Amino acid sequence: MTRARDNNRADLWYAVALLVVALIPRLFVAIAWAREPVWDGHYYHFGAERIAQGLGYSEDVMVHGQLVWKPWCHYPVGYSALLGAVYRVFGAKLVVAPVVNAITGAVTAVVVYRLARHYLSPRRAKVAGALVALHPGLIVYSAAVMTEGLAALLLVAAPLALVAWRGKWRGVIGAGVLLGLATLVRPSSLLAAPLMALMMDAGAARKLAAGALATAVAVVMVTPWSLRNCAQMDGCAFVSTNGGWNLAIGALTQSGRFQTLRAADGCPIVTGQVQQDRCWAKVGRDAILAAPGHWLAMMPKKLGHTFDHESFAIEYLREADPDSWPEDRRVAGRQLLSLFHRLLMVAAALGVVARVRPRKTDLRAWLPQMAALVVVLALGVLGAADEQHPFFWLAVAIPLLAVVPLPARPRQGAVGRYLVGLIFVTVLTHAVFFGDDRYHLVVTPVLCLLAAAALRRPAPRPDMARRA
């Protein structure tokens, strides 16, 4: 009993220390580098200001010489709603949103540590938390008024709720609530709700029920906002009206990245946000059906833009304050963040590879794991040597290596299955739509967890477990 109490106290003190270590550099970046929000950040900030003023998620437009209140839902509301609540208390100063991001990022490091305690040894769990706390890309991203940090926190908090309640149904409900909030921040987060099925150590029926319940709860959490959209907009929208827009971009893009859609691309007449989104969704579907080969051929480019490098934070800061980011500093910043990200990608892929000793009696176990190790290292070398740096293949390899029934695999457990599943749905999402390196930041804490799991010992064989 005394030893357990000491362990709990040590866990608590490490979590507090981790919070402080993660918070200090993030607060520095948030305060020193806060500038007028740019790109999507401008709209999140503006939406938050309107919410703080009691005007809802809206804007004023000029109609016949008069300002008319007009509701919004093109962008997801969740992040702006959080900022709006904070702005209501502290004011809409430019530093407030980055400070919120800094706190969110620091809490994420603690949540990752607590989640890792249910997945890894105590030492490896500390490494996972430290990787999130000291990740340079996550630190720099605190200054960007963007949604990815909040979405990442909710996506790792959801499985923690389930394991903290030991897989009970109230844990599934808690996870569903958190994933519903994540969906309001980033609609594709809803794809994580069915992954709760992977976290249940039970029969198929119980697994399916858990996934269905978590998804249902998440949908219920979003429903009041959906009803608001039905009442206020020109039609019903589940969360936002950028899904069809994004599908059309994913179908029409020639680079694999975002490109601005124009009326000539297929929607010349726009009567409202919902109508526009439905029109672009049809344009996207028609383009995919007309040239499915082209759409499939673009997937590596999309995933490359998502996983090959890490530069969005630097570009955001440069756009907001060009004088502080001359070309040499910009290039150095991009190189530093990308180097750390690429090393993390390799380490994360090793999280599904076991460390097996090459004894003759274990050749059947050693050879497959050595083959997996060679695959990961070869993909890492390819990423480093090729001028395009295709590190995205490591993200593709993680779920594939995790599901292939190789002998002597490392035990993933409930948490590991969720982490691998989240990588898979992220890859799938951006293969369908389009890529940008900021999107991998949503699963960067997951990559840190998998990196801390690199080259563990294999799971005990069932016959060995029975003997023990």
Side-chain angles (χ1 to χ4, degrees), residues 354-375:
R355 183 181 77 251
V356 181
R357 294 179 180 177
R359 293 182 296 189
K360 291 183 178 180
T361 53
D362 289 329
L363 277 180
R364 285 183 298 177
W366 179 73
L367 287 175
Q369 292 304 316
M370 277 300 297
L373 175 62
V374 169
V375 167

Side-chain angles (χ1 to χ4, degrees), residues 12 15 20 49 70 77 91 111 118 137 152 156 186 217 267 277 364 410-411 431:
L12 176 61
V20 173
E49 285 184 306
K70 181 181 178 182
V77 69
V111 171
H118 297 274
V156 291
R186 195 168 186 265
V217 171
C267 292
D277 192 55
R364 285 183 298 177
R411 182 179 180 274

